[in-house]
Amino acid sequence: NNNDICIKVSAKSFLHSQVRIMVGTLVEIGKGKITKSIKNIIEEKKRSQSGITAPACGLYLIKVEY
């Protein structure tokens, strides 16, 4: 929608700020600030290779399942 980005993430558990880091990385890849693929960033296992931590504003927790 317009300038909105909708990303749905589901997992058994998350690390602190993990989703915000993933979102920030995807946004920076989309803007061309990062040229590596997500796969390469994950395989390198270096936080310094990923993007910014997205701000918490605008991110919403929709559902928690147990």
Side-chain angles (χ1 to χ4, degrees):
N1 293 334
N2 305 319
N3 290 323
D4 295 340
I5 299 171
C6 181
I7 300 172
K8 294 183 180 183
V9 182
S10 176
K12 182 179 177 183
S13 61
F14 292 103
L15 298 173
H16 181 74
S17 298
Q18 182 178 356
V19 173
R20 292 176 56 200
I21 293 166
M22 293 178 348
V23 169
T25 302
L26 289 171
V27 169
E28 289 196 340
I29 288 172
K31 289 181 175 181
K33 292 182 178 180
I34 295 176
T35 57
K36 294 182 179 186
S37 71
I38 291 289
K39 182 178 180 185
N40 288 349
I41 292 169
I42 293 170
E43 287 174 348
E44 288 181 5
K45 298 181 182 179
K46 293 181 182 175
R47 171 64 176 99
S48 62
Q49 299 300 307
S50 61
I52 63 167
T53 302
C57 63
L59 298 177
Y60 300 97
L61 175 64
I62 306 275
K63 178 172 49 172
V64 176
E65 294 180 352
Y66 293 97

